Amino acid sequence: MQTAESSTETKTNNNRHAIEVYDTTLRDGAQSEGVNFSCSDKIKIIKLLDNLGVDFIEAGWPGANPVDIELFKTLPQLKHSKITAFGCTRKPGIAAKDDKILNMLIEADTEILTIFGKTWDFHVTEALGTTLDENLKMISESINFLKEHNKRVFFDAEHFFDGYKRNPDYALLAVKSAVEAGAERIILCDTNGGCINTEIYRITKEISNALPQAKLGIHAHNDGDMAVANSIAAVDAGAIQIQGTINGYGERCGNANLCSIIPNLQLKKNYSLIGSNIKKLVFVANSISEIANINASANQPFVGSSAFAHKAGIHASGVAKNSETYEHISPELIGNSRKILISDQAGSASIKEKIEHLRLVKDIEDSQIPKIIDRIKKLEWKGFAFEGAEASFELLIMDILGSKKQYFELLGYRIIGDTFAGLKEINTEASVKLKIGENIIHTVAEGDGPVNALDCAFRKALRNVYPQIDLYKLNDFKVRILDSTEGTAAHVRVNIETTDGFNKWDTVGVSQNIIEASYMAIIDSIIYGLILHGAKQN
């Protein structure tokens, strides 16, 4: 079976610009505030990363916690990636064979082990409380011990750049000890995340020249918002491995974001990283954000949902003519897609581009465009926002064109809230009166709050005539106060996401009355769903 080392050599022979991708999402990423991966979560992420084609996946620290203990017993078989286990050099004053952490690494039964050691003299004397000579022995003896057990070893030179800036001779001596002991990769770490790219390039270049036999990597943190730039600088200076996390997850300000590093190196600098798998990048980024239970950042470069979103009319016009006018790459290259946002800044080009991607409206005459723009601008002045409510936008166009179907007529609705004596529990009841054809339908329903009661009442009234409504489920409900200075009389905007299990559509309503705003969004949601499912108008 081909090892990761031989795989890397093959990549290098085919393309001298091959760069290894080492993912630390499962360890560094798990240190993000609010992230708590279960063993099942980690296995799902491992499979996603393997499918993406990263070279190495750092699964965690064997024995450090119950999750990692379970994980190393249940690691899945992978197609491409190599699993690494993480640990540190032996403790001061003991033999490597007696060190608990090193023995746990061996028991993890992975081909590759990554250990970190101190390379900053300040940390050696202050944090470890030992001598500089003892630290060098800790590095070399730990690597020798692991290699005696037929392990491949990567050495993370912790705090390397800060250490090199303070005491370059000792920092170099520390990594030289790792190289001479047989470490296959020397990973230079900006652990505090405070370096800038020119420093990273200069120091990495100096190490590359001083230790030409060493294969260098970069592990950058993002405390100065420079982790991506620093990683790229290190590669330009000779590093062959980048370490980072998906979506930049990590402690404090996070780690270097692989979702930005990979496309920058592969698409813009012609390095070889994950090949055609780069088209899976958006899917993997979104999937891991779901597993981590962290909302995906819309404006994240490359993979964010707004990374290729255009709102200004001039921008949309330019992109329609040639995407290079306002896009640095084609979004399809990394599995993303372009969005033309509809707002009061929209122009004719924005509307035309948007209409081309609508589900229900396809062709409109140019003479209708000014009417649409004028209506949008008036509604957005009142607080409507159609960039996140495409179904309401499409219904608006249908209304202007006179093609919007009228499935029912609202004659009135009422909402009542009663408090049960002594129980302090509010019972909410909604009644609606609708006219469908020649029939008047009056229904009452209870719900968990006024919006839910109103939604239930509408569904109850429409169900017998339009059974398709049972397919629809409100997936998300958001309320935003638009002018907080007005207090309880402020306008509110309600956004609703609806799904039928296959399709999703978003609608919006705005009013000073939150019930009325909710009603607007609910009605648009129902009507759009009926049109989408081909319901006949009665």
Side-chain angles (χ1 to χ4, degrees), residues 320-360:
K321 295 172 183 175
N322 188 323
S323 62
E324 292 183 15
T325 54
Y326 289 99
E327 291 177 350
H328 63 117
I329 65 166
S330 172
E332 291 79 14
L333 291 174
I334 40 86
N336 213 332
S337 59
R338 182 177 301 115
K339 290 200 306 185
I340 302 299
L341 305 179
I342 300 303
S343 74
D344 57 0
Q345 299 182 46
S348 297
S350 298
I351 299 298
K352 290 179 179 178
E353 174 73 15
K354 191 68 176 178
I355 288 171
E356 289 182 5
H357 297 90
L358 295 180
R359 287 173 172 152
L360 307 179

Side-chain angles (χ1 to χ4, degrees), residues 256-486:
N257 189 349
L258 292 177
C259 295
S260 294
I261 296 173
I262 290 172
N264 270 313
L265 287 177
Q266 182 164 315
L267 299 178
K268 298 188 175 185
K269 297 182 73 66
N270 236 6
Y271 291 105
S272 173
L273 285 90
I274 59 174
S276 61
N277 286 335
I278 198 168
K279 292 182 179 179
K280 304 173 184 177
L281 197 58
V282 172
F283 172 76
V284 171
N286 290 337
S287 297
I288 291 178
S289 72
E290 285 292 320
I291 295 171
N293 197 26
I294 294 177
N295 290 333
S297 175
N299 62 353
Q300 183 178 178
F302 294 101
V303 299
S305 61
S306 297
F308 300 93
H310 305 278
K311 189 170 183 178
I314 293 175
H315 292 191
S317 176
V319 168
K321 295 172 183 175
N322 188 323
S323 62
E324 292 183 15
T325 54
Y326 289 99
E327 291 177 350
H328 63 117
I329 65 166
S330 172
E332 291 79 14
L333 291 174
I334 40 86
N336 213 332
S337 59
R338 182 177 301 115
K339 290 200 306 185
I340 302 299
L341 305 179
I342 300 303
S343 74
D344 57 0
Q345 299 182 46
S348 297
S350 298
I351 299 298
K352 290 179 179 178
E353 174 73 15
K354 191 68 176 178
I355 288 171
E356 289 182 5
H357 297 90
L358 295 180
R359 287 173 172 152
L360 307 179
V361 177
K362 295 301 178 185
D363 299 313
I364 65 171
E365 298 178 2
D366 288 347
S367 61
Q368 300 287 355
I369 297 292
K371 295 180 184 179
I372 296 172
I373 294 174
D374 183 63
R375 181 80 71 87
I376 288 171
K377 290 184 176 182
K378 288 179 179 177
L379 289 171
E380 292 221 344
W381 181 80
K382 294 180 179 180
F384 283 82
F386 292 101
E387 60 190 51
E390 295 187 356
S392 288
F393 169 68
E394 197 159 0
L395 292 176
L396 174 65
I397 292 179
M398 290 180 179
D399 188 46
I400 293 172
L401 299 179
S403 60
K404 181 180 176 182
K405 293 183 178 181
Q406 301 297 322
Y407 289 102
F408 54 86
E409 178 185 353
L410 176 67
L411 300 179
Y413 67 84
R414 177 181 295 174
I415 297 175
I416 302 172
D418 293 325
T419 303
F420 290 114
L423 296 179
K424 295 183 179 180
E425 181 179 345
I426 297 177
N427 178 42
T428 306
E429 179 182 282
S431 63
V432 299
K433 183 183 288 188
L434 304 175
K435 184 177 181 181
I436 302 178
E438 298 301 321
N439 299 317
I440 304 295
I441 301 175
H442 190 188
T443 59
V444 179
E446 293 183 344
D448 297 324
V451 177
N452 180 241
L454 186 62
D455 181 42
C456 291
F458 273 112
R459 290 170 180 268
K460 187 175 180 180
L462 295 170
R463 182 171 291 114
N464 290 336
V465 181
Y466 304 114
Q468 299 95 329
I469 201 169
D470 283 335
L471 298 172
Y472 315 151
K473 175 187 175 184
L474 297 188
N475 226 23
D476 197 7
F477 178 86
K478 298 175 183 176
V479 179
R480 181 176 179 181
I481 297 174
L482 301 179
D483 44 4
S484 58
T485 58
E486 295 296 324

